Amino acid sequence: MAVANGEVGWESAVAGGGGFRADALRTAGVPVFDVPVACRSGWGVLRAAWATRRAVRRFRPDVV
């Protein structure tokens, strides 16, 4: 899985709800940020937005 490639000057990260794909990415060395799945409630959407904001602040991407 060639997702992260620091050799050419870039690195990818994934923010998502977890699962076997997130586990495989972690195993491959890709930074994975857990973001709860936004249930159809205001509180669920707010929690997901906060988690996404935290992930962006920690990873500091140039492109989202």
Side-chain angles (χ1 to χ4, degrees), residues 9-56:
W10 57 267
E11 181 180 12
S12 294
V14 175
F20 71 93
R21 288 185 181 97
D23 294 339
L25 289 168
R26 275 191 189 97
T27 301
V30 176
V32 176
F33 298 93
D34 294 321
V35 174
V37 176
C39 298
R40 294 180 186 255
S41 70
W43 179 244
V45 172
L46 194 55
R47 283 183 39 197
W50 282 334
T52 302
R53 182 176 182 204
R54 247 188 335 269
V56 169

